[in-house]
Amino acid sequence: DDLCMPNDGGDHDCDFPKEIKHGYLAEVKGHMARYQCHEGYHAHGRDWFSCHDERNKDDLCMPNDGGDHDCDFPKEIKHGYLAEVKGHMARYQCHERYHAHGSDWFSCHDERNKDDLCMPNKIGCEFPEFIEGGKILRAGDDWAYYECYEGFLIWTEGEKPGVALCVNGTTRMPKCYKPKQGCAFPQRVPGGIAERISAEGASYRCDGGHVLMPTIRGSEAVCRDDGSMALPYCLPEEHAYSIDFKLENNFILINVKTSEGESGWKTVCDDGFNDFAAGAVCRHLKKGRHGTKVNNIMNLESPPKQEIGYTRVSCHYDDTLFYDRRNCRADEYHGGEQTCLDHEKVAIVCYNEPWQFSANVKVDKAGKKTKLACGLKVKKHGIDLDMKRVKNSVLQAHFFAIDENNEEKRIDGKVRYKKGQFILVSKMTVKCAVCKVVYNKDKVVATSSSNGTECPAA
């Protein structure tokens, strides 16, 4: 009986106190109120309360030091095990073929039965969210309906176009196919019309009173190898919006601007976040063509204080902006069952090439011999690898002496690799040297000169 409330929020029995123990009233929406904890305290469970919520609001805010010594988290639960503990919170992981039913985080005094967390995966058919050239629109227990992207036609084994069926545990899937080579660019897009269409591409302009929602090429359409497209489109001025991004210690902050105002800077929860979405952020910021999440890779400082505003942020292609609503998604975060904590705020790095190499060569005298050392640094997806732990198998280094005529002469000898350094000891007198790092025997990925005072001018 407490579920359905009047639209004006007029539940006059509501009486939300402005102050609670270690916290205060932050906002009220209809018959719901959210409380904020003071500095040094955090919310224990959901921070939203309804009018008739039976929880004691004074039990909401707990000290950050996690000093709740009544905690006793079992190491094993039914079909699962204890994965990590943070203060008075613990996360459980389900065994293979089981999944978490609800939030996998438990507080010390969580009233849920932990043995009810892990449920068996459904036996039957699993319908993929995306198929080549198309994506799912809606689904039931034993069926799903798909649509194809522009430029594709759909073929279905059966009488109902676009419908996938589960028959005795086997899926009968529709297929999206291109009727001819290339993309079939449409004459019109929402709120706009094509200025140019050719086999190579298309560009669009907006109707009067509309604002362009661009692709990575602005008003140009993008045709992908699989025949799908990224199309610009236009929105009425009163419905148009823009998205600003910034990185604070690698953490993503988003601010959405509309005709009604701004959302303010908010962070992103890592639930459902993928690297294609990281790439979209990097392209918005013009910091690189691609991106990757680094929360579990880099030792990051404390996350920003801004509240989490978005979750389930993902993209299907690594060439989009977030204006591409067909291939990118972001859900507003309001708490609830899928609780996101501070340590789940997303941090990323941006990069252009998946692998980056750099070298630094030094020349030292070793008695009557010359010791040449070529230090190597490698970045994978924009992140420095610990070269002391990298065992080399596909990289080689070649050393060359540079004479007074600025000509290279190969220095022969056995090159050893140790903890990120290629080392060559030669009987040859060398004043200036060049190191070339080669991948797979023929591709030079990094070059370095010792640049000493004995080196000839370039």
Side-chain angles (χ1 to χ4, degrees):
D1 287 342
D2 294 336
L3 173 66
C4 299
M5 306 298 291
N7 286 339
D8 63 0
D11 189 329
H12 303 294
D13 294 331
C14 295
D15 184 14
F16 296 113
K18 293 185 178 180
E19 297 286 336
I20 62 173
K21 190 175 181 180
H22 307 306
Y24 59 93
L25 180 64
E27 59 180 310
V28 177
K29 289 188 178 180
H31 67 289
M32 299 291 291
R34 183 176 67 84
Y35 285 85
Q36 180 74 38
C37 295
H38 293 316
E39 187 174 356
Y41 293 82
H42 62 274
H44 167 65
R46 290 190 63 214
D47 54 1
W48 283 92
F49 288 77
S50 66
C51 288
H52 306 298
D53 205 312
E54 295 178 355
R55 293 176 296 153
N56 187 341
K57 300 177 182 66
D58 285 337
D59 293 339
L60 174 68
C61 297
M62 306 292 290
N64 283 342
D65 62 4
D68 190 332
H69 302 294
D70 296 330
C71 295
D72 184 17
F73 296 114
K75 293 184 178 180
E76 298 287 338
I77 61 174
K78 190 174 182 180
H79 307 306
Y81 58 92
L82 180 64
E84 60 180 308
V85 176
K86 294 199 175 183
H88 71 291
M89 300 290 290
R91 183 177 67 84
Y92 284 86
Q93 181 74 39
C94 296
H95 295 315
E96 189 176 358
R97 298 181 182 176
Y98 290 84
H99 66 275
H101 176 63
S103 174
D104 54 1
W105 283 92
F106 288 80
S107 64
C108 287
H109 306 299
D110 206 308
E111 296 178 354
R112 293 176 297 153
N113 187 341
K114 299 177 182 64
D115 284 336
D116 294 337
L117 173 68
C118 296
M119 306 295 290
N121 293 338
K122 181 181 176 182
I123 299 174
C125 298
E126 292 186 4
F127 297 105
E129 185 176 356
F130 296 97
I131 60 175
E132 184 174 354
K135 66 177 183 179
I136 198 169
L137 282 184
R138 52 188 178 271
D141 291 337
D142 57 358
W143 64 273
Y145 180 68
Y146 289 82
E147 72 167 359
C148 296
Y149 299 126
E150 289 94 341
F152 280 76
L153 298 178
I154 199 160
W155 175 86
T156 307
E157 183 184 352
E159 297 180 358
K160 297 180 179 179
V163 175
L165 296 175
C166 179
V167 180
N168 297 325
T170 302
T171 53
R172 293 180 180 175
M173 297 292 297
K175 295 181 180 179
C176 297
Y177 68 96
K178 292 181 288 183
K180 60 180 182 180
Q181 283 295 110
C183 292
F185 297 110
Q187 183 70 27
R188 289 197 63 87
V189 294
I193 190 169
E195 288 187 310
R196 173 184 59 82
I197 296 180
S198 68
E200 290 73 35
S203 62
Y204 295 84
R205 62 175 172 81
C206 294
D207 299 333
H210 287 68
V211 177
L212 180 73
M213 299 287 104
T215 68
I216 56 173
R217 298 176 185 169
S219 61
E220 296 276 335
V222 176
C223 179
R224 303 187 182 96
D225 292 339
D226 65 2
S228 65
M229 293 177 287
L231 293 171
Y233 60 96
C234 305
L235 291 176
E237 291 178 350
E238 63 271 20
H239 296 149
Y241 64 95
S242 63
I243 309 173
D244 291 335
F245 292 88
K246 65 180 179 180
L247 298 181
E248 186 174 298
N249 294 330
N250 295 100
F251 288 92
I252 299 173
L253 290 169
I254 302 178
N255 180 32
V256 179
K257 299 177 181 178
T258 67
S259 59
E260 298 180 354
E262 301 183 18
S263 66
W265 292 105
K266 295 184 179 181
T267 56
V268 177
C269 177
D270 67 359
D271 286 353
F273 188 88
N274 68 1
D275 281 351
F276 287 175
V281 174
C282 294
R283 288 185 287 275
H284 274 272
L285 292 170
K286 298 182 179 179
K287 288 182 175 290
R289 295 192 298 271
H290 312 286
T292 189
K293 189 178 79 166
V294 295
N295 294 63
N296 298 326
I297 301 172
M298 298 174 62
N299 293 322
L300 299 170
E301 298 178 8
S302 299
K305 295 181 179 179
Q306 287 85 344
E307 66 180 14
I308 294 174
Y310 304 94
T311 186
R312 305 292 175 192
V313 179
S314 63
C315 293
H316 183 51
Y317 290 98
D318 200 15
D319 62 0
T320 63
L321 299 178
F322 275 109
Y323 299 118
D324 187 348
R325 296 182 296 187
R326 291 179 62 86
N327 292 303
C328 288
R329 62 172 288 177
D331 297 343
E332 291 190 29
Y333 174 73
H334 299 295
E337 282 190 17
Q338 300 299 323
T339 303
C340 289
L341 305 177
D342 266 3
H343 71 275
E344 295 177 277
K345 294 177 179 178
V346 176
I348 65 171
V349 295
C350 301
Y351 63 93
N352 285 316
E353 299 297 334
W355 290 92
Q356 294 172 283
F357 302 87
S358 60
N360 182 29
V361 63
K362 292 182 179 181
V363 179
D364 294 312
K365 297 291 184 181
K368 294 182 179 181
K369 298 180 180 180
T370 302
K371 180 181 178 182
L372 300 105
C374 184
L376 179 66
K377 291 185 178 180
V378 181
K379 286 187 176 184
K380 181 182 179 182
H381 296 164
I383 302 169
D384 290 315
L385 298 184
D386 184 354
M387 297 307 298
K388 292 182 179 179
R389 298 184 178 182
V390 173
K391 294 182 179 180
N392 177 56
S393 59
V394 295
L395 294 171
Q396 296 176 322
H398 302 315
F399 292 90
F400 299 85
I402 308 298
D403 63 19
E404 61 275 5
N405 297 320
N406 209 20
E407 294 182 355
E408 296 180 354
K409 181 180 179 181
R410 176 77 175 266
I411 305 173
D412 295 324
K414 184 177 180 181
V415 179
R416 296 181 293 112
Y417 176 83
K418 185 177 181 181
K419 294 183 179 179
Q421 279 198 329
F422 295 97
I423 299 171
L424 172 62
V425 177
S426 174
K427 295 179 181 180
M428 184 177 175
T429 300
V430 179
K431 294 181 179 180
C432 178
V434 167
C435 168
K436 295 183 180 181
V437 179
V438 178
Y439 171 75
N440 237 8
K441 297 184 179 180
D442 59 0
K443 183 180 179 181
V444 177
V445 294
T447 302
S448 173
S449 170
S450 58
N451 292 325
T453 57
E454 302 294 334
C455 291

